[in-house]
């Protein structure tokens, strides 16, 4: 009887073994292995980029033959190493991310977080505000450039010829920036040669501060742009309907002054034709007199007629909720 019972268990054992082979704990490991390996390789690749010694993404591309968008390490003239994003594909590549302007609270009005205007209130005795357009302070992280303000040493260290600008929705992961951008463009006139090679020097020539000059007469340069995503008309549509007759699409403009002598820093995608620049230009000094303090902040008067309503002077919600990324080449 025992022998017969043993014979009856043999098929059961074989079935168990077959089942065990088909559902082996190693199977998931084998499936995960190939898909996880590229991630490990990618991390190693980024780490290996730390071996490159270059001051800009253009130099990384030309010297080391890199052609992939992503995070790279750069070194300043004084030996400071930092990490940033390189756009290696647009118009020949070699674009270095040096800063981002992000509005985390349009209702804050020159409070904590308004690094590109003032974090100490709207104050005529603080005409330059934080002064970050023309100093060597750095802040933020490259991966958080659409979550918060960002500025790296390349802003003042790199000697560049042109700029590129991306408007990327807030909180977008770095590897999705280019695809997610609502607008992208670059210059091709080598205009930065005329202004010291970067924004740091340009804004020393055209200080961003209250009462520095009059609207239109004392504005900084307006440079024609080449669109990589978008066009003149779509650019104007992002801004408020009332702004449409006051701007010309197809430009990037610097140090635009409003009717009340408050200075803004950058008018992205447009050239001002009037003095209501607070509704289509970003950043600025430390004091905006009109509606004190309603115009003071990194995105100035972008919500003048409501948050993202696209009514009157209010910009669209897409524009209001996108960070402005600034690149050099």
């Amino acid at each position: 009887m025992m022998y017969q019972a043993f014979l009856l268990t043999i098929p059961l054992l074989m079935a168990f073994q077959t089942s065990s082979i088909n559902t082996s704990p190693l199977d998931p490991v084998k499936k995960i292995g190939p898909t996880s390996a590229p991630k490990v390789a990618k991390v190693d690749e980024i780490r290996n980029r730390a071996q490159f010694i270059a001051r800009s993404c253009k130099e990384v591309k030309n010297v080391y033959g890199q052609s992939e968008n992503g995070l790279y390490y750069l070194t300043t003239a004084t030996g400071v190493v930092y990490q940033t994003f390189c756009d290696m594909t647009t118009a020949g590549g070699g674009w270095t991310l040096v800063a981002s302007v992000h509005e985390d609270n349009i209702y804050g009005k020159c409070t904590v977080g308004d690094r590109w205007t003032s974090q100490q209130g709207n104050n005529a005795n603080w005409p330059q505000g934080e002064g970050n357009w023309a100093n060597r302070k750095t802040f933020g992280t490259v991966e958080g450039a659409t979550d918060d303000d960002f500025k790296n040493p390349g802003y003042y260290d790199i000697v560049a010829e042109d700029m590129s600008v991306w408007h990327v929705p807030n909180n977008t992961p770095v590897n999705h920036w280019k695809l997610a951008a609502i607008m992208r463009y670059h210059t091709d006139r080598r205009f930065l040669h005329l202004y010291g090679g970067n924004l740091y020097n340009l804004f020393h020539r055209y200080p961003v501060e209250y009462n520095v000059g009059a609207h239109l007469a004392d504005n900084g340069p307006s440079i024609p742009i080449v669109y990589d995503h978008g066009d003149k008309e779509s650019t104007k549509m992002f801004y408020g309907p009332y702004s449409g007759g006051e701007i010309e699409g197809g430009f990037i403009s610097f140090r635009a002054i409003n009717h009340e002598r408050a200075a803004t820093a950058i008018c992205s995608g447009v050239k001002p034709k009037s003095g209501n620049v607070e509704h289509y230009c970003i950043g600025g000094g430390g004091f905006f007199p009109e509606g004190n303090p309603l115009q003071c902040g990194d995105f100035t008067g972008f919500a003048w007629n409501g948050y993202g309503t696209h009514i009157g002077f209010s910009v669209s919600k897409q524009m209001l909720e996108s960070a402005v990324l600034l690149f050099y080449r």
Side-chain angles (χ1 to χ4, degrees):
M1 290 291 294
M2 291 182 61
Y3 179 73
Q4 290 177 338
F6 175 74
L7 291 176
L8 288 173
T9 62
I10 290 176
L12 294 174
L13 289 169
M14 293 178 65
F16 176 77
Q17 289 175 345
T18 303
S19 174
S20 298
I21 291 171
N22 291 338
T23 60
S24 169
L26 293 177
D27 283 354
V29 174
K30 292 175 184 176
K31 293 176 183 176
I32 292 172
T35 58
S36 62
K39 294 182 180 179
V40 173
K42 187 66 178 177
V43 171
D44 288 341
E45 180 184 345
I46 293 173
R47 287 174 178 167
N48 289 336
R49 291 173 182 169
Q51 301 174 23
F52 301 158
I53 300 177
R55 286 179 67 184
S56 69
C57 296
K58 181 180 179 181
E59 192 173 343
V60 169
K61 183 177 179 66
N62 292 342
V63 176
Y64 298 98
Q66 298 296 298
S67 59
E68 183 179 352
N69 293 347
L71 302 181
Y72 290 81
Y73 292 91
L74 301 178
T75 306
T76 69
T78 57
V80 174
V81 178
Y82 64 97
Q83 190 180 42
T84 193
F85 178 85
C86 292
D87 171 16
M88 297 299 201
T89 56
T90 300
W95 300 94
T96 306
L97 177 68
V98 297
S100 74
V101 183
H102 170 272
E103 181 57 78
D104 59 345
N105 180 13
I106 194 67
Y107 302 112
K109 303 307 171 190
C110 284
T111 53
V112 174
D114 285 321
R115 297 178 184 86
W116 295 107
T117 43
S118 169
Q119 299 185 94
Q120 303 184 49
N122 192 40
N123 191 338
N125 295 318
W126 184 245
Q128 290 185 337
E130 300 301 310
N132 285 323
W133 293 103
N135 65 30
R136 290 184 172 86
K137 291 181 182 177
T138 59
F139 39 82
T141 64
V142 61
E143 286 193 292
T146 61
D147 305 336
D148 201 353
D149 294 327
F150 174 61
K151 181 184 174 190
N152 65 39
Y155 181 88
Y156 56 82
D157 179 72
I158 293 173
V159 179
E161 298 176 333
D162 283 296
M163 283 188 64
S164 174
V165 178
W166 294 5
H167 289 249
V168 182
N170 293 343
N171 306 315
T172 301
V174 63
N175 55 323
H176 295 159
W177 284 353
K178 188 168 187 177
L179 184 63
I182 63 171
M183 178 167 60
R184 292 185 288 109
Y185 61 83
H186 66 276
T187 67
D188 64 356
R189 303 294 182 93
R190 299 183 177 182
F191 79 100
L192 284 174
H193 270 320
L194 302 175
Y195 304 104
N198 52 48
L199 293 180
Y200 170 82
N201 287 317
L202 184 151
F203 286 121
H204 272 272
R205 186 173 300 188
Y206 294 95
V208 181
E209 59 184 81
Y210 169 64
N211 207 26
V212 74
H215 77 278
L216 293 181
D218 295 309
N219 285 359
S222 292
I223 310 299
I225 60 177
V226 178
Y227 283 97
D228 301 302
H229 177 61
D231 54 38
K232 293 180 181 180
E233 292 308 312
S234 64
T235 298
K236 291 176 67 174
M237 288 298 295
F238 282 127
Y239 296 106
Y242 287 0
S243 299
E246 299 188 2
I247 55 178
E248 180 179 353
F251 292 85
I252 182 171
S253 303
F254 303 93
R255 214 279 295 279
I257 301 169
N258 74 3
H259 287 296
E260 295 77 35
R261 303 179 74 84
T264 60
I266 292 179
C267 310
S268 183
V270 299
K271 177 169 67 174
K273 298 190 294 183
S274 182
N276 293 309
V277 299
E278 65 275 6
H279 302 304
Y280 37 85
C281 304
I282 60 174
F287 186 56
F288 290 77
E290 186 181 10
N292 183 359
L294 296 181
Q295 293 179 3
C296 199
D298 287 355
F299 277 13
T300 53
F302 276 25
W304 191 251
N305 297 110
Y307 185 100
T309 60
H310 205 232
I311 295 172
F313 280 114
S314 283
V315 303
S316 66
K317 191 173 182 181
Q318 296 98 316
M319 177 63 77
L320 187 60
E321 296 183 351
S322 292
V324 184
L325 276 57
L326 308 177
F327 296 79
Y328 291 161
R329 184 178 72 182

